[in-house]
Amino acid sequence: KICKMTQVILKQAKIIDPSSPFHNQTMDLKIENGTITQIDKEITITSGFEVVNVPNLHVSKGWMDSSVSFGEPGYEDRETIENGLQVAAKSGFTAVALQPNSNPTIDNQSQVRFVLDRAKHQATTLYPIGALTKGSEGTDLAELFDMKNAGAIAFGDYKKALQNANLQKIALQYVQDFDGMLIAFCQDSTLKGSGIANEGAISTKLGLKGIPALAEELHVARNLFLLEYTGGKMHIPTISTQGSIQLIKEAKAKGLQVTCSVAVHNLVFNDEMLMGFDSRYKVLPPLREEATRKALIAAVSDGTIDCITSDHNPLDIELKKLEFDLAKDGTIGLESAFGALLTVLPLEVIINKLTASKLIFNIENASIAIGNKADISLFTTTDNWIFEKENILSKSKNSAFLGQKMQGKAVGIYNNRQLIMNN
């Protein structure tokens, strides 16, 4: 349901926002022309207002996903920007950071402007990530300063680690001139080789070539050394190993400006999911063993991991329904993110980690208070349900979460003067 109503009353919503004077209170909220005008125990309904009255309704500051792929331009059959943003809105996200892995790659200012233009007038705000290197090929730096001026919030090559340490160093030095941020996916390609699953007991049992934890950790260590040498800001996306957690913890203790994320699927699943050779569970970085999954959850809770991403990556059936070693890496994740997280983490931790991306990328994140802009995610916490095919809103259906138990549901969002509900 898309409702361009600017006048909305949310009835009996429990506010989860530690920065709000109404934290943990169940209140009515009145929104007029995109601004919260009243928060009270009981607000009288007047004509001209859309009323949202959902059992067990909760609200928080708007969530942001720090890594989504949509395909457009070039791969519209996987997902368009318009539909992708609708999916994000119905999944509770008021903002997303768009990866540059389209065709052509988002590696210049005209490409940045193109995706921003396609995202106009949507309830969910799109923030483009510019490619770090031309064509994401890892050889020459892209037009970083021009892209920043056009609206790119950071620079990185999606799922491609920059093997050239000197280029990484130069990039870190260069972006400091305009307060830019590098996103450094970490994986040593020589150590990964042709590996397709976590190196361990399961990959050995299944006869699948392994990707050792060392392939990630060696690059994390290298990139943190470079960051210490150059200064500047770095975000390490989707970490997946215990060694990476430790290295980042030590770097933060030294005062380095480093942040990191973890993907929902690495928190929910372990590599035992591969026992049936189901390519829906083929992701990068791979699902690791149970001890590591638990360590990642602990690192989310203790603050070492700054934010959680769905790492939403739509792929058409021709790329996924193949033998395990030939299938492409990636799963969609927007629709299942919140419901899956509530099965493994406490609510306040989830909200903190889904709103933290705005802090990382220096995006305004207004608290739920009278007079503030309404940028709000709506959700429930008590629904128990199974994620089925009809819950997939994306054009692509490659979800690792099909058949999984979910707790709580994203109900929708209010943002950019629009109410979007998922029903």
Side-chain angles (χ1 to χ4, degrees):
K1 181 177 175 184
I2 302 165
C3 173
K4 301 273 179 180
M5 291 285 288
T6 48
Q7 323 287 71
V8 175
I9 293 173
L10 307 177
K11 296 297 284 180
Q12 294 303 291
K14 185 169 184 180
I15 297 167
I16 308 294
D17 177 8
S19 67
S20 164
F22 302 98
H23 178 49
N24 267 335
Q25 296 179 46
T26 301
M27 304 295 247
D28 287 2
L29 289 86
K30 189 183 220 178
I31 300 167
E32 298 180 78
N33 297 319
T35 302
I36 301 169
T37 55
Q38 192 183 349
I39 300 177
D40 249 315
K41 277 273 174 244
E42 183 73 40
I43 294 174
T44 313
I45 298 167
T46 45
S47 68
F49 278 82
E50 175 84 8
V51 178
V52 176
N53 201 345
V54 175
N56 185 241
L57 181 64
H58 287 59
V59 295
S60 73
K61 291 199 272 197
W63 309 340
M64 176 172 177
D65 194 331
S66 61
S67 172
V68 303
S69 304
F70 285 154
E72 187 179 2
Y75 302 120
E76 287 85 352
D77 51 330
R78 297 179 193 176
E79 189 61 280
T80 60
I81 287 170
E82 184 182 3
N83 192 62
L85 291 173
Q86 290 289 336
V87 173
K90 291 177 179 181
S91 305
F93 293 90
T94 65
V96 295
L98 178 70
Q99 292 289 356
N101 57 330
S102 50
N103 184 19
T105 308
I106 303 172
D107 64 359
N108 59 63
Q109 56 180 331
S110 65
Q111 287 305 124
V112 171
R113 290 203 178 100
F114 172 81
V115 295
L116 284 172
D117 195 52
R118 301 295 283 175
K120 269 185 190 153
H121 315 304
Q122 295 285 337
T124 296
T125 310
L126 180 142
Y127 295 95
I129 296 168
L132 180 61
T133 60
K134 286 180 185 167
S136 285
E137 284 166 5
T139 318
D140 303 297
L141 288 185
E143 303 168 7
L144 308 184
F145 182 60
D146 287 350
M147 286 194 285
K148 166 90 175 181
N149 288 341
I153 56 164
F155 310 100
D157 296 329
Y158 183 62
K159 299 292 182 200
K160 291 181 177 176
L162 192 51
Q163 304 300 320
N164 182 334
N166 189 48
L167 200 58
Q168 187 84 285
K169 181 197 80 163
I170 291 165
L172 275 164
Q173 290 168 324
Y174 174 55
V175 298
Q176 285 178 66
D177 291 345
F178 51 88
D179 196 32
M181 181 190 275
L182 286 201
I183 297 177
F185 180 72
C186 292
Q187 186 173 68
D188 185 290
S189 61
T190 54
L191 276 169
K192 176 189 182 270
S194 52
I196 52 173
N198 175 54
E199 185 179 87
I202 300 285
S203 63
T204 307
K205 192 185 269 185
L206 297 176
L208 297 173
K209 285 185 180 162
I211 303 174
L214 181 65
E216 176 174 308
E217 291 156 6
L218 203 61
H219 248 230
V220 170
R222 182 203 82 170
N223 287 337
L224 290 172
F225 263 116
L226 289 169
L227 182 65
E228 193 171 359
Y229 180 80
T230 60
K233 288 188 293 193
M234 181 185 280
H235 178 70
I236 299 177
T238 58
I239 66 166
S240 73
T241 78
Q242 298 185 54
S244 297
I245 294 167
Q246 197 50 43
L247 287 161
I248 289 165
K249 195 177 268 183
E250 288 162 12
K252 286 183 168 189
K254 282 184 190 170
L256 299 188
Q257 285 194 75
V258 60
T259 53
C260 66
S261 70
V262 64
V264 176
H265 42 263
N266 288 94
L267 293 173
V268 176
F269 301 130
N270 61 30
D271 59 359
E272 287 172 25
M273 301 305 286
L274 306 185
M275 292 303 280
F277 293 102
D278 189 334
S279 62
R280 288 183 301 121
Y281 301 107
K282 190 182 182 193
V283 288
L284 196 70
L287 301 176
R288 304 285 185 186
E289 68 285 352
E290 179 63 9
T292 298
R293 185 188 75 83
K294 286 183 169 154
L296 289 166
I297 284 177
V300 165
S301 302
D302 72 17
T304 305
I305 293 175
D306 301 273
C307 64
I308 298 172
T309 172
S310 73
D311 203 19
H312 181 79
N313 188 7
L315 297 168
D316 43 48
I317 195 163
E318 287 83 10
L319 297 170
K320 267 317 230 190
K321 214 157 175 115
L322 296 165
E323 293 86 68
F324 195 86
D325 57 334
L326 299 177
K328 215 167 149 54
D329 300 300
T331 175
I332 56 171
L334 283 167
E335 301 97 317
S336 49
F338 179 72
L341 285 172
L342 210 48
T343 65
V344 292
L345 282 165
L347 178 65
E348 282 205 22
V349 173
I350 296 167
I351 301 306
N352 176 278
K353 300 302 175 187
L354 289 179
T355 52
S357 300
K358 289 188 176 170
L359 206 63
I360 293 167
F361 295 107
N362 218 0
I363 293 162
E364 188 207 354
N365 199 10
S367 62
I368 298 178
I370 297 161
N372 280 359
K373 179 191 175 206
D375 173 353
I376 299 173
S377 295
L378 289 70
F379 53 96
T380 66
T381 58
T382 50
D383 285 293
N384 287 298
W385 54 293
I386 304 282
F387 190 74
E388 308 277 15
K389 207 154 192 176
E390 57 266 25
N391 303 117
I392 294 179
L393 308 167
S394 303
K395 280 177 80 174
S396 294
K397 310 299 176 196
N398 58 309
S399 172
F401 292 90
L402 281 171
Q404 291 301 312
K405 284 189 180 135
M406 300 271 148
Q407 191 190 327
K409 255 185 181 163
V411 174
I413 62 168
Y414 185 97
N415 187 40
N416 294 340
R417 300 186 174 199
Q418 294 175 54
L419 174 71
I420 304 265
M421 299 289 283
N422 179 14
N423 60 4

